[in-house]
Amino acid sequence: MGNADKPKQFLTVGEKPVIIHTIEKFIINSHFIEIVVLVPKSWLAYTKDIIRKYIRQHEKIVVVEGGTTRNETIMNAIQYIEDCGRLTEDTIIVTHDSVRPFVTYRIIEENIKFARNFGACDTVIPASDTIVESRDGSFISNIPEREKMFQGQTPQSFKAKHLRKIYQSLTDAERAILTDACKIYVLKNEPVYLVEGEVSNIKITYPHDLRVAEAILGGNQTC
Ligand SMILES: C[C@](O)(CO)[C@H](O)COP(=O)(O)O
């Protein structure tokens, strides 16, 4: 995000911070007992302030300190649920990037349904570009069949206790290569069901994505 003074989830689009747009998508779903927002320690107070400022019904939202990696952050969320005395074998955790504010009601519903049915699910869209693998960053080592390639989004949803159990069984080397939570299951040869994502479920990563987000909010779907 260039020289932005805030992490990208706190940048403003459509007059609200990105993270607020994202939380709103979960607030409207009555299945959730609680919405656990995990942020770095230095952003805890700020996050609580903006939630109070922008979200009137914020009783279900709790702000908790994240970890040093995505999956350590998820582990903190599961620990929080356990500390509240609510972690059972059937507890479902729907994990989501705060910088994907255009997740839909349908995607969230299907995540809950298929995590319940299959224990784990990922949100994906078919790859529209050919995926090129390079082991040295200079030459192509493989071009997988595009029909079998998908791009992973979030939510990624799991039976929380089982996710923690298999994450704890990974080696440090296995943990070091994770860029999402579903790979924990893949490394352990456990099934992860595919939920159909949306092209519009973008991850705000680059300045261009902020302009796309503004365009989506402004109803200009041609961008
Ligand atoms: C989980 C994810 O959104 C799937 O595409 C992505 O890997 C998150 O990446 P980031 O490293 O948090 O930007």
Side-chain angles (χ1 to χ4, degrees):
M1 275 297 165
N3 57 2
D5 59 343
K6 295 182 181 115
K8 52 201 176 181
Q9 61 270 36
F10 298 115
L11 299 178
T12 300
V13 282
E15 294 170 9
K16 278 184 265 187
V18 170
I19 193 169
I20 297 296
H21 289 281
T22 307
I23 293 170
E24 284 174 347
K25 302 301 187 306
F26 288 83
I27 282 281
I28 57 170
N29 191 308
S30 60
H31 283 111
F32 294 107
I33 293 171
E34 207 155 32
I35 296 165
V36 186
V37 180
L38 296 116
V39 293
K41 193 175 183 181
S42 53
W43 289 90
L44 284 170
Y46 181 84
T47 307
K48 287 176 192 169
D49 283 351
I50 58 169
I51 288 171
R52 270 195 297 268
K53 176 172 174 193
Y54 289 101
I55 303 181
R56 203 178 315 146
Q57 281 187 300
H58 54 252
E59 299 76 24
K60 270 190 182 182
I61 307 171
V62 60
V63 183
V64 171
E65 186 178 338
T68 49
T69 63
R70 159 181 291 274
N71 287 299
E72 289 297 330
T73 295
I74 294 174
M75 293 307 128
N76 285 7
I78 297 173
Q79 187 59 51
Y80 167 81
I81 299 167
E82 185 163 56
D83 293 345
C84 293
R86 286 204 284 265
L87 189 65
T88 72
E89 293 301 327
D90 294 326
T91 303
I92 300 293
I93 184 168
V94 176
T95 72
H96 190 61
D97 295 327
S98 58
V99 288
R100 290 190 189 268
F102 301 117
V103 62
T104 64
Y105 190 85
R106 194 263 313 156
I107 291 176
I108 295 172
E109 280 289 289
E110 291 191 5
N111 265 260
I112 296 167
K113 176 176 163 188
F114 292 117
R116 276 189 182 139
N117 287 356
F118 300 115
C121 62
D122 194 2
T123 305
V124 301
I125 53 170
S128 53
D129 291 324
T130 296
I131 303 295
V132 174
E133 183 185 339
S134 172
R135 292 189 183 280
D136 63 5
S138 299
F139 292 93
I140 291 178
S141 27
N142 187 24
I143 298 186
E145 266 179 76
R146 189 170 66 185
E147 286 62 35
K148 296 198 174 108
M149 295 294 115
F150 295 83
Q151 288 166 227
Q153 302 184 333
T154 59
Q156 300 185 327
S157 305
F158 313 94
K159 290 207 166 158
K161 258 192 150 175
H162 189 68
L163 169 65
R164 181 169 71 179
K165 186 174 150 206
I166 60 173
Y167 177 71
Q168 285 172 342
S169 76
L170 296 184
T171 64
D172 287 345
E174 286 173 325
R175 288 183 192 189
I177 56 162
L178 297 173
T179 57
D180 76 344
C182 288
K183 187 152 179 175
I184 300 167
Y185 283 69
V186 174
L187 289 171
K188 292 288 166 187
N189 289 314
E190 295 209 19
V192 180
Y193 187 79
L194 299 183
V195 170
E196 188 184 341
E198 297 285 349
V199 174
S200 57
N201 183 21
I202 58 169
K203 184 177 72 163
I204 295 180
T205 309
Y206 303 111
H208 169 77
D209 301 323
L210 275 178
R211 292 193 288 276
V212 173
E214 289 287 359
I216 293 173
L217 288 168
N220 180 359
Q221 304 281 343
T222 57
C223 285

